[in-house]
Amino acid sequence: GSVRIIGGSYGTQKYGAKAGYRYDRLRVFAAASYESSDGSRRGMGYWLANQYVSLSYDFSKHWEAGTSMMLTETKADNPGSVNRPQPLGMWAKQLRTTASVFVKNRYDIASGGIQAYYNWGKHDIDDGLDSRNMPRTYLFHSKDFNMGVTMYQTVKPWAGNDVSVGVDFKHWGGQAYNTSKIDGGESPIVDRHVNEIAGYAMMQQSFFDNILNLNAGIRLEHSSQFGNQWVPQAGLVLRPLSESRVKFCYGRGFRSPNIRELYMYGPRNPDLQPEEMDSYEIELRQWFLGRRINVGVSLYHISGNNLIQTVMLDGAARNVNTGHFTNKGFEIDAAYSISRNWTVTANYAYLHTDAQIVGAPKNKLFGEVVYTPGRWQFVADVTGIWGLLTEESKENYALLGLKAAYTLGQKMPITVFLKGENLTATSYQINYGFPMPRATIMAGAEWKF
C-alpha cells in the first residue's frame, strides 16, 4: 500500500491512501482520497472525495468471482467568465456511486466472463445569477443511472487463432427538476430512459510465428431511441524485422446523444442525431541501439457525420450536429535511454480539421528530460501549443514544468518531492473567459509499504 500527502499553490491540498491484501485465494483492495483548493480565482474553490473497495476470490485455477464499489462526492464553485460584470456565484454538488459483480473463467483453450454493473448519480446545482445579474429563484436537481450486463467468451479453435463473441445490454436514463428556493415546490424538466443491446464477434489470426497478425470484427448495436447501427473494425500488425513494427487499424465509431445533450440545460436540443465516424490509422515503429532508441510515426484520417458540439446561435448556446467533418494529421514520438540515469522523450502532433472544433490544438509539441542519480529524480518538461481554438480566439502558448524527488529508505521507502507547473507564468485560456492558473508550486510525500 501507500499513503500520499500534497499541498501547494492556491490553498491546494491532496490526501490519499491505498492498500491491498492477499491471503491464499482471497484478494482485497481499498483506496480513499480527498482533495480541495481555493482555486486560482475568487469563488472557484472545490473539494472532492473518493472511496473504492474491491474483493475477489479464486474458487479454482479456472474460476474467479469478485465485486467492487466506488463512491465519489464533490462540490465546486464557478465564478463564471472574467468578462462578466460580477461573479456568477454558481455552485454544483455531485454524489456518484458505482457497483459491479463479475464471474470469470480461464482455460487453455477458452476464457471469458459475465459482469453486471450499476452506476447512479445525484446532482444539485445553483445556476447563480441570471442575465439581469439577479439571483435565480430555484435550484436545479438531476438523478441519472446506467445499469447493464456484459457477457463474453474467447476460444482458441486452433494454433494462433482467437475467436471472441459477446453480448451487452444497457438500460440508462434519468430525471431532472427544479425546486423553488422559497417554498421547495418541484417543477419537472425531463424523465427519460433508453435501452441498448448489442452483439459482437471478433477473430484474430497470427501467421509465420507472429510475424503477421490479422484481426476483424463486427458489432450490431440496437437502441430503443435510434434503431440499429453496424460497427465494423479491422486491423493488422506486421513485424518484418525483430526491431520493426507496422500497425494498421480501421474502426467505425458510433455514439448516441445523452439525456443532458438532448433535454437538459440551456443548450439542449431534442432533435440531435447520433455521432458517426470512420477512422483509419497506420503506425510505423523502429527500435535502434539495442532498443535504447524508440521512434514512431502515426498517420490518421477520420471522417464522420453529426459531431455534437455546443455553439452560439443567435446569442444563445445550443447543442447541434455539425454535419460532415474530416480530421487528419500525424504524430511523431521518440525516446532515448542515453544511460542508466538519463532519458529523453519527445512527441509532436499535427491536427487538420475542416470544421471549427473548440479545444482541439492544431500543433502540440512535448519534450521531457529525466535524470535519476541514485535516490534522486529530476524531471524537466516543456509543452507547446499552437492554434488552439476557443469560442472567441486562437491560443498559442508554451508551458514549463520542473520536478525534483528524493527517496529515503528501501524496504519502506518515503519519497518527498517538489514540482512546479507553468513556471514562466504564461497567460492562456482553454475555455474562453476562464484563464488558466499562472505558476503553481506543489510539494508532498509518499510512503510505500
Side-chain angles (χ1 to χ4, degrees):
S2 67
V3 177
R4 172 178 266 203
I5 301 174
I6 304 175
S9 301
Y10 309 114
T12 302
Q13 49 189 313
K14 301 181 181 183
Y15 309 93
K18 59 184 179 182
Y21 177 74
R22 180 170 183 166
Y23 177 76
D24 194 19
R25 298 179 179 180
L26 177 67
R27 291 181 298 276
V28 181
F29 179 81
S33 65
Y34 174 84
E35 62 183 70
S36 66
S37 177
D38 297 331
S40 58
R41 293 168 54 200
R42 185 177 179 182
M44 209 173 193
Y46 82 96
W47 60 265
L48 170 69
N50 282 307
Q51 300 87 42
Y52 174 83
V53 63
S54 66
L55 173 71
S56 64
Y57 185 79
D58 291 332
F59 291 94
S60 70
K61 67 178 182 178
H62 300 300
W63 287 91
E64 173 193 2
T67 183
S68 66
M69 178 176 291
M70 182 171 64
L71 178 68
T72 300
E73 190 172 10
T74 182
K75 184 177 184 295
D77 300 319
N78 180 2
S81 169
V82 294
N83 302 312
R84 288 184 56 86
Q86 63 186 95
L88 177 63
M90 176 184 175
W91 59 262
K93 188 175 183 180
Q94 303 179 42
L95 172 66
R96 301 204 65 84
T97 182
T98 300
S100 66
V101 294
F102 70 86
V103 177
K104 296 180 181 179
N105 63 80
R106 301 180 297 266
Y107 290 91
D108 291 338
I109 62 171
S111 63
I114 179 172
Q115 180 179 14
Y117 60 89
Y118 181 79
N119 185 314
W120 178 84
K122 179 177 181 291
H123 310 81
D124 304 304
I125 298 174
D126 187 333
D127 286 314
L129 304 181
D130 60 19
S131 59
R132 300 171 298 169
N133 289 320
M134 298 294 294
R136 299 180 192 270
T137 59
Y138 62 87
L139 294 177
F140 171 85
H141 309 272
S142 71
K143 299 177 182 178
D144 65 85
F145 64 89
N146 183 0
M147 56 192 300
V149 178
T150 178
M151 298 176 286
Y152 64 95
Q153 192 71 30
T154 300
V155 296
K156 303 177 184 296
W158 57 80
N161 184 272
D162 294 333
V163 178
S164 299
V165 294
V167 176
D168 297 332
F169 172 75
K170 289 181 288 186
H171 175 63
W172 58 272
Q175 59 177 307
Y177 57 95
N178 292 331
T179 59
S180 169
K181 293 181 180 179
I182 300 174
D183 58 15
E186 294 187 2
S187 302
I189 299 175
V190 64
D191 188 354
R192 301 269 181 164
H193 70 269
V194 176
N195 294 319
E196 295 180 357
I197 188 168
Y200 64 89
M202 185 170 180
M203 176 182 289
Q204 178 169 291
Q205 178 67 54
S206 64
F207 299 92
F208 315 119
D209 196 23
N210 260 355
I211 293 178
L212 174 64
N213 283 273
L214 302 177
N215 67 76
I218 188 71
R219 178 184 179 94
L220 175 60
E221 185 98 17
H222 175 78
S223 167
S224 61
Q225 188 173 18
F226 298 105
N228 295 330
Q229 178 75 26
W230 288 97
V231 184
Q233 68 177 66
L236 67 84
V237 179
L238 174 65
R239 301 175 180 86
L241 301 171
S242 61
E243 306 298 327
S244 304
R245 187 181 70 195
V246 179
K247 292 175 63 177
F248 170 80
C249 62
Y250 160 77
R252 184 168 180 78
F254 166 76
R255 185 182 77 85
S256 300
N258 57 44
I259 288 179
R260 175 186 59 80
E261 295 165 331
L262 289 164
Y263 305 112
M264 292 168 55
Y265 307 114
R268 63 184 179 271
N269 183 356
D271 298 323
L272 290 174
Q273 295 299 308
E275 296 178 337
E276 301 176 355
M277 72 176 188
D278 293 281
S279 65
Y280 306 83
E281 182 174 353
I282 184 169
E283 180 197 68
L284 310 176
R285 188 160 296 278
Q286 181 69 47
W287 287 265
F288 303 94
L289 297 180
R291 290 190 169 248
R292 289 169 55 195
I293 297 179
N294 178 5
V295 179
V297 178
S298 298
L299 307 173
Y300 61 89
H301 184 280
I302 300 172
S303 62
N305 290 293
N306 297 331
L307 180 69
I308 298 173
Q309 283 198 290
T310 303
V311 301
M312 299 299 295
L313 294 176
D314 299 325
R318 186 170 177 82
N319 299 327
V320 299
N321 293 111
T322 58
H324 181 80
F325 65 91
T326 300
N327 300 341
K328 54 188 176 182
F330 64 89
E331 299 177 4
I332 303 173
D333 67 87
Y336 180 25
S337 297
I338 301 173
S339 67
R340 187 177 64 180
N341 298 333
W342 287 92
T343 302
V344 179
T345 60
N347 59 69
Y348 168 77
Y350 171 80
L351 170 65
H352 172 79
T353 63
D354 63 352
Q356 299 287 321
I357 300 179
V358 174
K362 188 173 184 178
N363 301 275
K364 181 178 180 180
L365 177 65
F366 174 81
E368 182 183 72
V369 179
V370 180
Y371 176 49
T372 54
R375 297 183 180 182
W376 285 95
Q377 182 189 59
F378 300 95
V379 181
D381 64 73
V382 177
T383 301
I385 297 291
W386 299 270
L388 174 69
L389 181 69
T390 71
E391 289 86 346
E392 298 289 339
S393 65
K394 275 192 175 183
E395 296 285 313
N396 304 307
Y397 56 90
L399 307 175
L400 171 66
L402 298 174
K403 177 183 177 181
Y406 182 77
T407 301
L408 303 87
Q410 293 181 342
K411 292 185 178 180
M412 301 177 69
I414 297 177
T415 300
V416 293
F417 60 89
L418 176 68
K419 67 177 181 178
E421 298 179 351
N422 190 15
L423 292 177
T424 56
T426 299
S427 175
Y428 70 103
Q429 300 181 41
I430 297 176
N431 298 300
Y432 184 73
F434 292 81
M436 296 295 289
R438 296 296 186 96
T440 60
I441 304 294
M442 303 290 287
E446 183 177 29
W447 173 42
K448 295 183 179 181
F449 57 89

